[in-house]
Short mmCIF file of all heavy atoms in Angstrom, two decimals:
data_model
loop_
_atom_site.label_atom_id
_atom_site.label_comp_id
_atom_site.label_asym_id
_atom_site.label_seq_id
_atom_site.Cartn_x
_atom_site.Cartn_y
_atom_site.Cartn_z
N GLU A 57 -10.64 6.23 6.22
CA GLU A 57 -11.70 5.39 6.78
C GLU A 57 -13.10 5.88 6.41
O GLU A 57 -13.99 5.98 7.25
CB GLU A 57 -11.57 5.33 8.31
CG GLU A 57 -10.28 4.76 8.82
CD GLU A 57 -10.11 3.28 8.52
OE1 GLU A 57 -11.11 2.60 8.25
OE2 GLU A 57 -8.96 2.81 8.54
N PRO A 58 -13.35 6.21 5.13
CA PRO A 58 -14.66 6.77 4.79
C PRO A 58 -15.77 5.75 4.98
O PRO A 58 -15.60 4.55 4.73
CB PRO A 58 -14.50 7.14 3.31
CG PRO A 58 -13.46 6.18 2.80
CD PRO A 58 -12.49 6.02 3.94
N GLY A 59 -16.90 6.22 5.44
CA GLY A 59 -18.13 5.45 5.48
C GLY A 59 -19.19 6.16 4.67
O GLY A 59 -18.90 7.14 3.97
N GLN A 60 -20.42 5.72 4.77
CA GLN A 60 -21.49 6.35 4.02
C GLN A 60 -22.03 7.59 4.71
O GLN A 60 -22.77 8.37 4.09
CB GLN A 60 -22.60 5.33 3.77
CG GLN A 60 -22.12 4.21 2.86
CD GLN A 60 -23.06 3.04 2.78
OE1 GLN A 60 -23.92 2.85 3.64
NE2 GLN A 60 -22.91 2.22 1.74
N ASP A 61 -21.64 7.81 5.98
CA ASP A 61 -22.10 9.01 6.68
C ASP A 61 -21.00 9.64 7.54
O ASP A 61 -21.27 10.52 8.35
CB ASP A 61 -23.31 8.69 7.56
CG ASP A 61 -23.00 7.67 8.65
OD1 ASP A 61 -21.88 7.13 8.66
OD2 ASP A 61 -23.88 7.42 9.49
N ARG A 62 -19.75 9.19 7.36
CA ARG A 62 -18.69 9.74 8.19
C ARG A 62 -17.34 9.55 7.51
O ARG A 62 -17.20 8.78 6.56
CB ARG A 62 -18.67 9.08 9.56
CG ARG A 62 -18.24 7.61 9.55
CD ARG A 62 -18.14 7.08 10.98
NE ARG A 62 -17.52 5.75 11.02
CZ ARG A 62 -17.13 5.15 12.13
NH1 ARG A 62 -17.30 5.75 13.30
NH2 ARG A 62 -16.57 3.95 12.09
N VAL A 63 -16.34 10.26 8.05
CA VAL A 63 -14.96 10.13 7.58
C VAL A 63 -14.04 10.54 8.72
O VAL A 63 -14.42 11.34 9.58
CB VAL A 63 -14.73 10.99 6.31
CG1 VAL A 63 -14.77 12.47 6.64
CG2 VAL A 63 -13.43 10.62 5.62
N LEU A 64 -12.83 9.99 8.73
CA LEU A 64 -11.84 10.30 9.75
C LEU A 64 -10.92 11.41 9.25
O LEU A 64 -10.37 11.32 8.16
CB LEU A 64 -11.03 9.05 10.08
CG LEU A 64 -10.06 9.11 11.26
CD1 LEU A 64 -10.83 9.24 12.57
CD2 LEU A 64 -9.17 7.88 11.29
N LEU A 65 -10.75 12.46 10.05
CA LEU A 65 -9.91 13.59 9.70
C LEU A 65 -8.63 13.58 10.52
O LEU A 65 -8.63 13.20 11.70
CB LEU A 65 -10.65 14.91 9.93
CG LEU A 65 -12.03 15.06 9.29
CD1 LEU A 65 -12.64 16.41 9.64
CD2 LEU A 65 -11.96 14.86 7.79
N TRP A 66 -7.52 14.06 9.92
CA TRP A 66 -6.20 14.05 10.57
C TRP A 66 -5.49 15.36 10.33
O TRP A 66 -5.59 15.96 9.26
CB TRP A 66 -5.37 12.91 9.99
CG TRP A 66 -3.97 12.78 10.54
CD1 TRP A 66 -3.56 11.92 11.51
CD2 TRP A 66 -2.81 13.52 10.16
NE1 TRP A 66 -2.21 12.08 11.77
CE2 TRP A 66 -1.73 13.06 10.95
CE3 TRP A 66 -2.57 14.53 9.24
CZ2 TRP A 66 -0.44 13.58 10.84
CZ3 TRP A 66 -1.28 15.06 9.13
CH2 TRP A 66 -0.23 14.58 9.93
N THR A 67 -4.73 15.79 11.34
CA THR A 67 -3.74 16.86 11.16
C THR A 67 -2.69 16.74 12.26
O THR A 67 -2.79 15.87 13.14
CB THR A 67 -4.37 18.26 11.18
OG1 THR A 67 -3.43 19.21 10.65
CG2 THR A 67 -4.78 18.68 12.58
N ARG A 68 -1.68 17.58 12.20
CA ARG A 68 -0.65 17.64 13.24
C ARG A 68 -0.39 19.10 13.57
O ARG A 68 -0.17 19.92 12.68
CB ARG A 68 0.64 16.97 12.76
CG ARG A 68 1.74 16.91 13.82
CD ARG A 68 2.92 16.07 13.32
NE ARG A 68 3.91 15.81 14.37
CZ ARG A 68 5.08 16.45 14.50
NH1 ARG A 68 5.40 17.41 13.61
NH2 ARG A 68 5.92 16.15 15.47
N PHE A 69 -0.42 19.40 14.88
CA PHE A 69 -0.22 20.77 15.33
C PHE A 69 0.73 20.75 16.51
O PHE A 69 0.45 20.19 17.57
CB PHE A 69 -1.55 21.40 15.75
CG PHE A 69 -1.45 22.86 16.10
CD1 PHE A 69 -1.55 23.83 15.11
CD2 PHE A 69 -1.26 23.27 17.41
CE1 PHE A 69 -1.46 25.19 15.42
CE2 PHE A 69 -1.15 24.62 17.74
CZ PHE A 69 -1.26 25.58 16.74
N VAL A 70 1.92 21.34 16.32
CA VAL A 70 2.96 21.35 17.35
C VAL A 70 2.88 22.66 18.14
O VAL A 70 2.86 23.75 17.55
CB VAL A 70 4.35 21.19 16.72
CG1 VAL A 70 5.44 21.27 17.78
CG2 VAL A 70 4.44 19.88 15.96
N ALA A 71 2.84 22.55 19.46
CA ALA A 71 2.74 23.72 20.33
C ALA A 71 3.58 23.48 21.58
O ALA A 71 4.30 22.49 21.69
CB ALA A 71 1.29 24.00 20.68
N GLU A 72 3.50 24.40 22.54
CA GLU A 72 4.22 24.26 23.79
C GLU A 72 3.48 23.41 24.81
O GLU A 72 4.06 22.94 25.79
CB GLU A 72 4.49 25.65 24.40
CG GLU A 72 5.39 26.54 23.56
CD GLU A 72 6.78 25.95 23.37
OE1 GLU A 72 7.30 25.35 24.33
OE2 GLU A 72 7.34 26.07 22.25
N GLN A 73 2.18 23.19 24.58
CA GLN A 73 1.37 22.43 25.51
C GLN A 73 0.17 21.85 24.76
O GLN A 73 -0.05 22.17 23.59
CB GLN A 73 0.87 23.33 26.64
CG GLN A 73 0.05 24.51 26.15
CD GLN A 73 -0.25 25.50 27.24
OE1 GLN A 73 0.29 25.43 28.35
NE2 GLN A 73 -1.12 26.47 26.96
N ASP A 74 -0.57 20.98 25.42
CA ASP A 74 -1.78 20.44 24.81
C ASP A 74 -2.63 21.59 24.27
O ASP A 74 -2.86 22.60 24.96
CB ASP A 74 -2.60 19.67 25.84
CG ASP A 74 -1.95 18.35 26.23
OD1 ASP A 74 -0.84 18.07 25.74
OD2 ASP A 74 -2.57 17.60 27.00
N THR A 75 -3.10 21.41 23.02
CA THR A 75 -3.80 22.51 22.35
C THR A 75 -5.08 22.01 21.70
O THR A 75 -5.03 21.09 20.88
CB THR A 75 -2.91 23.16 21.27
OG1 THR A 75 -1.69 23.61 21.86
CG2 THR A 75 -3.62 24.33 20.60
N PRO A 76 -6.24 22.60 22.04
CA PRO A 76 -7.49 22.21 21.37
C PRO A 76 -7.58 22.83 19.98
O PRO A 76 -7.26 24.01 19.79
CB PRO A 76 -8.57 22.76 22.30
CG PRO A 76 -7.93 23.95 22.94
CD PRO A 76 -6.47 23.62 23.08
N LEU A 77 -7.98 22.02 19.03
CA LEU A 77 -8.19 22.49 17.66
C LEU A 77 -9.65 22.33 17.30
O LEU A 77 -10.25 21.27 17.56
CB LEU A 77 -7.34 21.69 16.67
CG LEU A 77 -5.83 21.64 16.89
CD1 LEU A 77 -5.20 20.73 15.85
CD2 LEU A 77 -5.23 23.04 16.83
N ASP A 78 -10.23 23.34 16.71
CA ASP A 78 -11.57 23.22 16.15
C ASP A 78 -11.48 22.71 14.73
O ASP A 78 -10.56 23.07 13.99
CB ASP A 78 -12.28 24.59 16.16
CG ASP A 78 -12.57 25.09 17.56
OD1 ASP A 78 -12.90 24.25 18.43
OD2 ASP A 78 -12.43 26.30 17.80
N TRP A 79 -12.42 21.85 14.35
CA TRP A 79 -12.44 21.36 12.97
C TRP A 79 -13.82 21.61 12.37
O TRP A 79 -14.82 21.65 13.07
CB TRP A 79 -12.06 19.89 12.89
CG TRP A 79 -12.91 18.97 13.73
CD1 TRP A 79 -12.68 18.54 15.00
CD2 TRP A 79 -14.15 18.36 13.33
NE1 TRP A 79 -13.68 17.71 15.43
CE2 TRP A 79 -14.60 17.57 14.42
CE3 TRP A 79 -14.93 18.39 12.18
CZ2 TRP A 79 -15.79 16.84 14.39
CZ3 TRP A 79 -16.11 17.67 12.12
CH2 TRP A 79 -16.54 16.90 13.22
N GLN A 80 -13.83 21.76 11.06
CA GLN A 80 -15.06 22.04 10.33
C GLN A 80 -15.10 21.25 9.04
O GLN A 80 -14.07 21.05 8.39
CB GLN A 80 -15.16 23.54 9.99
CG GLN A 80 -15.14 24.47 11.17
CD GLN A 80 -15.05 25.93 10.73
OE1 GLN A 80 -14.32 26.27 9.81
NE2 GLN A 80 -15.81 26.79 11.38
N VAL A 81 -16.29 20.80 8.68
CA VAL A 81 -16.55 20.15 7.40
C VAL A 81 -17.66 20.92 6.71
O VAL A 81 -18.67 21.27 7.34
CB VAL A 81 -16.95 18.68 7.58
CG1 VAL A 81 -17.30 18.05 6.23
CG2 VAL A 81 -15.84 17.90 8.26
N SER A 82 -17.47 21.20 5.43
CA SER A 82 -18.43 22.03 4.70
C SER A 82 -18.58 21.53 3.27
O SER A 82 -17.65 20.95 2.71
CB SER A 82 -17.96 23.48 4.71
OG SER A 82 -18.78 24.31 3.90
N GLU A 83 -19.74 21.78 2.69
CA GLU A 83 -19.92 21.50 1.27
C GLU A 83 -19.28 22.56 0.39
O GLU A 83 -19.04 22.32 -0.79
CB GLU A 83 -21.42 21.39 0.95
CG GLU A 83 -22.09 20.18 1.57
CD GLU A 83 -23.56 20.10 1.21
OE1 GLU A 83 -24.20 21.18 1.10
OE2 GLU A 83 -24.07 18.99 1.03
N SER A 84 -19.02 23.74 0.97
CA SER A 84 -18.42 24.83 0.20
C SER A 84 -17.04 25.14 0.74
O SER A 84 -16.75 24.98 1.94
CB SER A 84 -19.29 26.09 0.27
OG SER A 84 -19.39 26.54 1.60
N GLU A 85 -16.18 25.61 -0.13
CA GLU A 85 -14.80 25.88 0.25
C GLU A 85 -14.66 27.07 1.17
O GLU A 85 -13.66 27.20 1.88
CB GLU A 85 -13.97 26.08 -1.02
CG GLU A 85 -12.49 26.05 -0.79
CD GLU A 85 -11.71 26.29 -2.07
OE1 GLU A 85 -12.32 26.34 -3.15
OE2 GLU A 85 -10.47 26.44 -1.97
N ASP A 86 -15.67 27.95 1.22
CA ASP A 86 -15.57 29.12 2.09
C ASP A 86 -16.04 28.83 3.52
O ASP A 86 -15.98 29.70 4.38
CB ASP A 86 -16.34 30.30 1.52
CG ASP A 86 -17.85 30.02 1.37
OD1 ASP A 86 -18.32 28.96 1.86
OD2 ASP A 86 -18.55 30.86 0.77
#
Side-chain angles (χ1 to χ4, degrees):
E57 300 292 341
Q60 294 169 341
D61 62 354
R62 69 175 189 169
V63 69
L64 188 67
L65 307 179
W66 179 98
T67 195
R68 184 173 188 258
F69 186 87
V70 177
E72 296 299 322
Q73 59 189 9
D74 288 4
T75 303
L77 304 177
D78 293 323
W79 56 267
Q80 301 173 318
V81 177
S82 174
E83 292 181 324
S84 62
E85 194 181 352
D86 62 8

